[in-house]
Amino acid sequence: METAEAKNFKKVDIIFECQDCKPIEVLDTNLQRKPDDIILDIIDSGLKGRGGAGFPTGLKWKFTKNESAEPKYVICNADEGEPGTFKDREILDRVPEKVFVGMALCGYSIGAKEGIIYLRGEYNFLLKDLNKKLEKFNKQLKERNLDFAITIKSGSGAYICGEESALFESMEGKRGEPRNKPPYPTSEGYNAKPTVINNVETLVYTTMICNLGSDKFKELGTKDSRGSKVFSVSGDTPIAGIYELELGMSLGTFVEEFGDGDTKSVQVGGASGHCVPRKYFEDTIIGFEGIPTGGSMMIFNSTRSMYNVLHDYLEFFTEESCGQCTPCRVGCQQLLEGIEAVKKGERRPSYLEDLKKLASNMNLAAKCGLGQSVANPFNSIVDNFKEEIIY
Amino acid sequence: MSNTDALIKNLVEKHGNSRNSLMPILQGVVREERSLTEDAMLKVAEALDISAAEVYGTASFYTFLDTIPRGKNVIRICKTITCHMKGKDEIIEALEKELNINVGETTSDKQFTLLTANCLGWCHKGPVMLINDEIYPDLTVEKALEIIQEYAHNTK
């Protein structure tokens, strides 16, 4: 745990706020600027990817711009599948134009002509409205002589396709199996061409940084975690929903605001994130210096069995593992069967230690983030709630 | 030319016959017919000039590209933790009873298939179900049954 001082709890209104900001006007103003200036602004803002992995957005844009291969692509990752996350759906539903403008500005900055939104199949009900708005937006781009257009591709129910290289495979009509890295998307992404792939929320922040200036953005958050972030709050809370909050607060202040007074633990970052028990709430900072999150905050009170929570997560990973690499395919199954065996008394409690080693090995040996991150929930739940797993 | 043949022909015309068009074509077939028959996959392979194994390989990877026959209305109930905490088991039980099938099965009149799904992205409004492409959040047993009866009525 970090000892950095936590920020106070503060609600922010940048993503959904739309009074001052007509997205198309942000585009117009910024098309007057040099592409490099826009990229420098995004780098200067310190914005890191809001999908969970947290790569600096401006650098992604710069690396892709520096590639000589053509064509280049801008892809919006709307394959929001992490359990407990529902913010991207809300953003695409309420302020899609801000996403489109972010994509267009990225295209203008890096020299791409094609933008594609990869929308998870579970959100197909958004298609009709999004396509209508895109038609209008693409027309507006044409009127401005900007050689850029956005289309949508749908997913078909596969969590792993949120992993960027699996997403490219899926867009290319293949099984959504992650690729080896390097090469990274900035040099060989979709169709093996230089590609910027950003999360929905990240793209909105790029629009807003271009609108407000990077200094305004930097006023929020901490040195390692600039700005604010949209949180999806669910579970045992009287006020479940979407909240945009300044980064860097302690989990303690978060629970004070959202908990039901009986909070036992919070799963920060979804099924692939960390489980934090009550005793660590105050010392845990939400941000890249503490526990980073794609926004999923699942709150559990003392009536919940953490065995059930872990069982649910492991079932999820077992089903969603693409099956390509052995550590993940077999590891997920063994972890699931393992805790079932301990619960039934078929295995000694000390078997949990072996399973923890297996999870740590998966972290080292699995090919992509899915298999690598199973150790996060597994080890944090087993370490903090061992009695609940055994008895 | 059968209905499926015509459908595939239209989809190939709309999306093109490159490998990158495979997903939208398969999705288009499933949208109309709810699942992919062996014959449909062979036809798609032929149209895109790729092997049938490639088509099946892609189709069998994705949960929503069913390769076994499904009912006219595919119900997917979210089973991930927060929907579980909000009572998805009662919803599943009620629908199993109403439709007289278990999860994973299709009614004998081929009107409904009942499935579970991983996180549908409505954790603040669980339990939730997807019927075809339509989403139904904030479910109660009564509400879920009402929705199913409406579908049954409309698809008769």
Side-chain angles (χ1 to χ4, degrees):
Chain A
M1 286 312 137
E2 275 287 328
T3 49
E5 197 162 321
K7 305 274 288 189
N8 288 330
F9 181 90
K10 188 177 165 196
K11 282 189 186 169
V12 182
D13 194 12
I14 296 176
I15 292 274
F16 294 107
E17 196 272 341
C18 229
Q19 272 174 342
D20 299 339
C21 153
K22 289 212 176 71
I24 198 73
E25 287 174 11
V26 179
L27 182 71
D28 284 336
T29 319
N30 282 276
L31 288 181
Q32 309 298 322
R33 303 169 68 200
K34 288 198 195 106
D36 279 335
D37 290 345
I38 294 176
I39 294 178
L40 281 176
D41 233 17
I42 305 293
I43 293 175
D44 181 58
S45 73
L47 174 65
K48 290 181 182 173
R50 295 300 197 234
F55 192 84
T57 306
L59 290 181
K60 250 188 205 179
W61 290 22
K62 185 179 159 192
F63 294 156
T64 310
K65 182 189 163 72
N66 289 347
E67 291 288 329
S68 53
E70 298 272 350
K72 294 173 183 174
Y73 297 101
V74 179
I75 290 171
C76 168
N77 185 344
D79 194 53
E80 177 176 57
E82 187 66 48
T85 320
F86 40 92
K87 56 160 183 104
D88 292 340
R89 171 180 52 71
E90 197 90 0
I91 292 172
L92 284 169
D93 192 29
R94 284 165 59 185
V95 287
E97 284 87 359
K98 287 188 176 178
V99 182
F100 305 161
V101 167
M103 293 177 77
L105 285 172
C106 178
Y108 170 70
S109 304
I110 67 165
K113 292 173 183 162
E114 203 180 325
I116 302 161
I117 299 173
Y118 184 92
L119 185 73
R120 73 186 299 222
E122 290 84 343
Y123 292 170
N124 273 347
F125 58 89
L126 289 172
L127 272 175
K128 204 172 148 198
D129 190 49
L130 280 178
N131 273 322
K132 214 167 96 189
K133 287 178 173 151
L134 265 183
E135 201 179 313
K136 182 179 163 206
F137 184 75
N138 285 334
K139 222 169 108 193
Q140 287 175 318
L141 294 182
K142 224 176 198 169
E143 287 161 8
R144 284 159 177 78
N145 286 322
L146 184 68
D147 191 3
F148 188 78
I150 301 173
T151 54
I152 302 179
K153 278 189 180 248
S154 285
S156 271
Y159 167 72
I160 189 59
C161 289
E163 198 280 342
E164 53 193 18
S165 64
L167 187 149
F168 301 143
E169 292 288 304
S170 178
M171 286 188 15
E172 291 171 19
K174 300 172 197 154
R175 296 167 69 84
E177 294 175 348
R179 301 172 181 167
N180 284 320
K181 290 182 198 178
Y184 292 100
T186 50
S187 56
E188 287 180 38
Y190 177 49
N191 289 339
K193 298 293 181 195
T195 305
V196 166
I197 175 161
N198 283 145
N199 170 262
V200 174
E201 183 187 346
T202 312
L203 286 162
V204 177
Y205 277 119
T206 61
T207 303
M208 296 315 289
I209 288 164
C210 287
N211 184 45
L212 303 167
S214 57
D215 286 337
K216 199 91 189 156
F217 185 77
K218 276 194 291 188
E219 282 172 14
L220 293 168
T222 64
K223 189 171 132 290
D224 293 317
S225 310
R226 296 285 185 211
S228 50
K229 155 119 206 57
V230 182
F231 288 87
S232 312
V233 185
S234 68
D236 292 311
T237 165
I239 45 171
I242 308 271
Y243 298 89
E244 186 175 3
L245 307 172
E246 182 175 10
L247 282 170
M249 77 198 121
S250 80
L251 189 54
T253 53
F254 178 89
V255 169
E256 219 166 276
E257 181 78 14
F258 294 104
D260 62 358
D262 185 27
T263 304
K264 173 162 78 173
S265 66
V266 180
Q267 181 76 16
V268 182
S272 67
H274 295 263
C275 178
V276 184
R278 188 185 290 146
K279 62 180 174 188
Y280 295 133
F281 284 173
E282 289 309 324
D283 297 329
T284 302
I285 289 180
I286 303 171
F288 294 103
E289 60 270 72
I291 299 190
T293 165
S296 169
M297 306 292 277
M298 290 187 270
I299 303 177
F300 303 111
N301 70 20
S302 64
T303 67
R304 305 296 173 188
S305 152
M306 294 311 289
Y307 172 82
N308 284 349
V309 172
L310 181 58
H311 193 272
D312 185 272
Y313 292 162
L314 290 175
E315 241 180 32
F316 174 81
F317 286 123
T318 304
E319 286 174 20
E320 296 295 342
S321 169
C322 82
Q324 183 186 193
C325 77
T326 310
C328 179
R329 183 185 64 249
V330 181
C332 290
Q333 292 166 6
Q334 290 302 313
L335 292 177
L336 180 59
E337 285 172 21
I339 62 161
E340 285 174 349
V342 171
K343 191 76 174 174
K344 284 187 210 141
E346 292 164 6
R347 288 276 191 175
R348 288 167 183 277
S350 61
Y351 186 56
L352 288 175
E353 292 306 312
D354 294 336
L355 293 175
K356 270 174 59 190
K357 273 185 215 151
L358 170 61
S360 300
N361 284 338
M362 288 166 68
N363 179 250
L364 290 173
K367 185 170 176 178
C368 81
L370 192 156
Q372 288 163 10
S373 60
V374 175
N376 296 339
F378 192 85
N379 291 351
S380 59
I381 293 178
V382 169
D383 280 342
N384 293 301
F385 298 98
K386 195 171 262 170
E387 317 73 43
E388 294 191 33
I389 308 296
I390 299 169
Y391 304 107
Chain B
M1 196 185 258
S2 77
N3 283 346
T4 312
D5 291 357
L7 175 64
I8 291 171
K9 191 166 168 272
N10 284 340
L11 287 164
V12 172
E13 264 167 32
K14 182 174 171 200
H15 298 288
N17 65 350
S18 78
R19 175 63 189 259
N20 283 13
S21 310
L22 180 56
M23 287 283 285
I25 291 169
L26 295 180
Q27 285 162 347
V29 176
V30 170
R31 193 168 304 128
E32 294 302 317
E33 307 193 337
R34 297 289 168 236
S35 62
L36 297 157
T37 59
E38 208 176 297
D39 185 52
M41 287 187 274
L42 286 167
K43 289 272 157 44
V44 171
E46 202 177 305
L48 300 192
D49 196 19
I50 54 180
S51 85
E54 294 268 333
V55 176
Y56 180 72
T58 296
S60 58
F61 185 85
Y62 297 92
T63 316
F64 287 9
L65 299 180
D66 283 310
T67 51
I68 45 175
R70 297 298 191 199
K72 194 165 181 186
N73 298 299
V74 180
I75 308 165
R76 298 175 201 270
I77 301 176
C78 178
K79 68 179 170 88
T80 305
I81 190 72
T82 36
C83 282
H84 178 83
M85 285 157 58
K86 303 285 176 204
K88 58 97 179 152
D89 283 343
E90 285 85 59
I91 309 283
I92 293 176
E93 258 168 54
L95 293 193
E96 282 182 332
K97 209 169 141 209
E98 170 78 12
L99 299 170
N100 204 15
I101 50 172
N102 293 319
V103 167
E105 295 177 346
T106 300
T107 53
S108 54
D109 63 358
K110 306 274 184 283
Q111 288 300 309
F112 291 99
T113 299
L114 184 62
L115 301 171
T116 55
N118 284 324
C119 191
L120 293 174
W122 290 83
C123 317
H124 58 324
K125 290 187 175 177
V128 56
M129 68 178 171
L130 204 57
I131 303 182
N132 307 329
D133 278 346
E134 287 304 311
I135 194 83
Y136 298 94
D138 284 324
L139 289 178
T140 57
V141 167
E142 295 73 37
K143 219 168 132 183
L145 290 175
E146 224 170 83
I147 294 163
I148 297 301
Q149 281 151 6
E150 205 169 299
Y151 269 83
H153 182 76
N154 289 341
T155 48
K156 243 176 208 158

